[in-house]
């Protein structure tokens, strides 16, 4: 049989020792940190019926979702490409959390139909947290801080926070009364940050005078967060209540984070990441080490769960721990030492092995004790008792 038979598909890879242990170590740090902040862990199944998997916020993931026919029911199923829609289903349909605030965390592998080398593996290890049931800026701040605290716990180098608000572009399009084609063209240009094309687009549309200066400055409203907010106040304030509310919300977040976090904050008011499903604040966190790399991202998506019968305000974030592994420090061996034990049907030996494991030793069964390194720790019978010693 040819060797190529044993290759994994492009974008899908094994995690071997010690990388698998490293991933598990940092996964535990994140999940334990979320738990200490009140986020309960849920574990959705890796596959579901596409009726629920591609409903609501999951609809935009249709092209990324591997699908197959369930042999039990004959219905179409899909392997999740994102866990957020599953968590929304759980909180709306299973927990039925209609009142109060629900905080959930999750971790698991997802699968994407296509390989995008720029975005890492086709099978990310997704770790995230979601907060349901609160619309105020306080929950935006809580989730952003939870993300930053988690990344700081991973000791990632030189973090930079990127902020945005999809409502700014959305409201400006409404104020300008753009038609569907004009909206589509503008969103495509903003997504690609195509500045020359943006100027051509401006020249091709007849904008109301009231928003002319806002559109002229839109592409320039990016950079240091406080500087951008000061600039935006001059060109956007007073145009509408929605824009004023968006700027006020951003200012509250920036002020809070500047007072409590040591992180650079970048703001881009023309950022439309996740425009299909986000409804307000959006954010991402980059590591500025050897190269700029997006580590985690998230935002507000109010109305989640409406198609499951329970509409809730929500905000959250997720990260791909597999892609972040190369940026994380190697994990030191946490065991007290390695001990070799003989194979014997002896309850006393079994008890000695258990006690050593409780103390943090790694105990390995040796089928041939004579082949064990003479300098290694061994369990040996001495004076009728199993004792730990060097040969």
């Amino acid at each position: 049989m040819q060797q190529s038979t044993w290759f994994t598909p492009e974008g899908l890879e094994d995690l071997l020792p010690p990388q698998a242990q490293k991933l598990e170590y940092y996964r535990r740090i994140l999940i334990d940190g979320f738990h200490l902040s009140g986020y309960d862990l849920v574990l959705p199944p890796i596959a579901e019926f596409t009726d629920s998997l591609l409903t609501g916020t999951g609809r935009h993931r249709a092209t990324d979702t591997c699908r197959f026919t369930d042999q039990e029911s004959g219905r179409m199923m899909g392997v999740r490409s994102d866990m957020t829609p599953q968590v929304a289903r759980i909180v709306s349909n299973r927990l039925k959390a209609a009142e109060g605030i629900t905080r959930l965390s999750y971790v698991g592998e997802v699968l994407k139909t296509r390989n995008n080398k720029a975005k890492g593996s086709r099978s990310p290890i997704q770790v995230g947290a979601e907060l349901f049931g609160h619309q105020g800026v306080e929950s935006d701040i809580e989730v952003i801080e939870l993300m930053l605290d988690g990344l700081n716990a991973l000791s990632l180098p030189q973090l930079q926070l990127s902020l945005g608000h999809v409502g700014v572009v959305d409201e400006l399009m409404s104020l300008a009364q753009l038609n569907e084609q004009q909206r589509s063209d503008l969103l495509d240009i903003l997504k690609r940050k195509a500045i020359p094309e943006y100027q051509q687009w401006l020249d091709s549309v007849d904008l109301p005078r009231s928003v002319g200066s806002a559109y002229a400055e839109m592409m320039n409203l990016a950079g240091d967060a406080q500087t951008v907010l000061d600039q935006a106040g001059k060109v956007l304030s007073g145009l509408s209540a929605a824009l004023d509310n968006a700027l006020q919300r951003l200012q509250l977040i920036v002020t809070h984070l500047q007072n409590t976090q040591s992180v650079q904050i970048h703001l881009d008011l023309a950022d439309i990441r996740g425009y299909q499903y986000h409804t307000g604040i959006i954010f991402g966190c980059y590591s500025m080490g050897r190269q700029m790399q997006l580590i985690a991202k998230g935002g507000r998506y109010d109305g989640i769960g409406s198609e499951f019968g329970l509409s809730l305000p929500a905000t959250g974030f997720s990260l791909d721990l597999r892609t972040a592994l190369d940026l994380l420090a190697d994990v030191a061996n946490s065991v007290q030492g390695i001990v070799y034990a003989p194979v014997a049907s002896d309850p006393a030996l079994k008890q000695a092995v258990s006690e050593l494991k409780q103390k943090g030793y790694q105990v390995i069964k040796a089928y041939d004790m004579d082949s064990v390194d003479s300098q290694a720790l061994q369990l040996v019978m001495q004076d009728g008792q199993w004792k730990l010693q060097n040969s």
Side-chain angles (χ1 to χ4, degrees):
M1 188 173 291
Q2 294 183 355
Q3 185 180 4
S4 61
T5 301
W6 309 115
F7 289 169
T8 57
E10 187 173 2
L12 302 174
E13 61 285 315
D14 300 308
L15 274 180
L16 305 178
Q19 288 292 90
Q21 189 66 33
K22 179 179 177 180
L23 184 143
E24 174 60 20
Y25 173 81
Y26 286 110
R27 182 198 68 83
R28 191 70 262 168
I29 288 177
L30 288 171
I31 293 300
D32 286 348
F34 297 163
H35 179 69
L36 292 175
S37 295
Y39 288 76
D40 295 323
L41 181 66
V42 293
L43 295 174
I46 194 169
E48 293 192 38
F49 293 126
T50 54
D51 292 347
S52 62
L53 198 63
L54 302 180
T55 294
T57 59
R59 190 174 293 113
H60 71 286
R61 297 288 187 181
T63 57
D64 287 331
T65 301
C66 296
R67 291 178 247 192
F68 60 95
T69 302
D70 177 27
Q71 297 302 307
E72 292 287 335
S73 66
R75 295 173 60 187
M76 186 63 66
M77 293 183 67
V79 179
R80 65 189 179 203
S81 61
D82 179 20
M83 294 181 72
T84 306
Q86 293 184 297
V87 179
R89 174 185 58 76
I90 288 174
V91 75
S92 302
N93 189 258
R94 298 297 305 280
L95 299 180
K96 301 185 185 301
E99 297 181 0
I101 295 174
T102 303
R103 295 175 173 89
L104 298 176
S105 65
Y106 55 91
V107 60
E109 191 166 10
V110 301
L111 178 66
K112 300 180 184 297
T113 56
R114 297 165 295 179
N115 184 38
N116 186 333
K117 294 181 180 179
K119 294 184 178 181
S121 172
R122 280 177 62 192
S123 57
I125 306 295
Q126 191 174 7
V127 185
E130 313 291 330
L131 188 154
F132 303 90
H134 189 270
Q135 286 185 311
V137 69
E138 296 85 359
S139 50
D140 288 323
I141 290 172
E142 177 180 332
V143 167
I144 293 172
E145 284 198 310
L146 184 70
M147 176 186 71
L148 292 173
D149 290 345
L151 297 183
N152 283 323
L154 301 183
S155 299
L156 283 164
Q158 301 177 2
L159 296 180
Q160 176 178 290
L161 177 67
S162 174
L163 283 177
H165 195 303
V166 297
V168 172
V169 171
D170 198 47
E171 179 66 8
L172 285 175
M173 290 193 298
S174 296
L175 292 175
Q177 298 180 342
L178 301 182
N179 60 39
E180 288 301 315
Q181 186 60 54
Q182 290 170 333
R183 282 174 174 257
S184 177
D185 292 342
L186 176 58
L187 292 174
D188 177 62
I189 291 169
L190 293 179
K191 182 179 179 181
R192 294 183 288 110
K193 298 295 183 186
I195 296 177
E197 291 182 39
Y198 180 70
Q199 189 57 53
Q200 295 174 5
W201 180 87
L202 280 181
D203 295 337
S204 69
V205 295
D206 185 18
L207 296 172
R209 292 184 60 184
S210 59
V211 296
S213 59
Y215 273 88
E217 291 295 320
M218 185 189 297
M219 281 291 202
N220 298 322
L221 296 177
D224 171 74
Q226 191 56 60
T227 302
V228 171
L229 283 171
D230 293 341
Q231 184 181 0
K234 299 174 183 177
V235 295
L236 299 181
S237 292
L239 291 180
S240 75
L243 286 175
D244 290 344
N245 289 336
L247 294 179
Q248 181 183 28
R249 198 177 191 103
L250 285 165
Q251 183 65 73
L252 289 170
I253 293 172
V254 169
T255 300
H256 178 89
L257 295 177
Q258 287 176 336
N259 290 335
T260 59
Q261 300 277 339
S262 57
V263 62
Q264 298 179 38
I265 307 175
H266 179 275
L267 176 60
D268 184 354
L269 293 184
D271 190 354
I272 58 166
R273 283 175 299 144
Y275 181 81
Q276 306 96 321
Y277 56 95
H278 282 309
T279 60
I281 295 292
I282 55 174
F283 53 86
C285 197
Y286 294 82
S287 175
M288 310 296 288
R290 288 171 295 179
Q291 61 180 8
M292 184 174 176
Q293 183 170 335
L294 179 64
I295 302 298
K297 60 182 179 179
R300 177 160 291 279
Y301 50 106
D302 292 339
I304 189 69
S306 59
E307 297 191 41
F308 297 114
L310 183 61
S311 179
L312 295 169
T315 180
F317 76 93
S318 66
L319 62 93
D320 173 12
L321 192 52
R322 186 193 293 266
T323 298
L325 272 186
D326 290 340
L327 300 177
L328 300 175
D330 291 336
V331 177
N333 196 332
S334 61
V335 299
Q336 293 290 330
I338 299 175
V339 178
Y340 291 90
V343 177
S345 299
D346 186 344
L349 175 61
K350 177 68 174 176
Q351 180 63 29
V353 168
S354 297
E355 291 175 356
L356 286 172
K357 289 180 178 179
Q358 289 175 7
K359 293 177 181 178
Y361 285 92
Q362 185 180 57
V363 184
I364 299 174
K365 291 184 176 181
Y367 301 124
D368 181 6
M369 292 296 290
D370 292 334
S371 66
V372 174
D373 189 329
S374 61
Q375 300 301 312
L377 289 173
Q378 300 181 32
L379 267 177
V380 297
M381 176 63 73
Q382 192 175 74
D383 299 328
Q385 292 183 324
W386 289 100
K387 295 184 178 180
L388 186 62
Q389 69 172 39
N390 292 96
S391 297

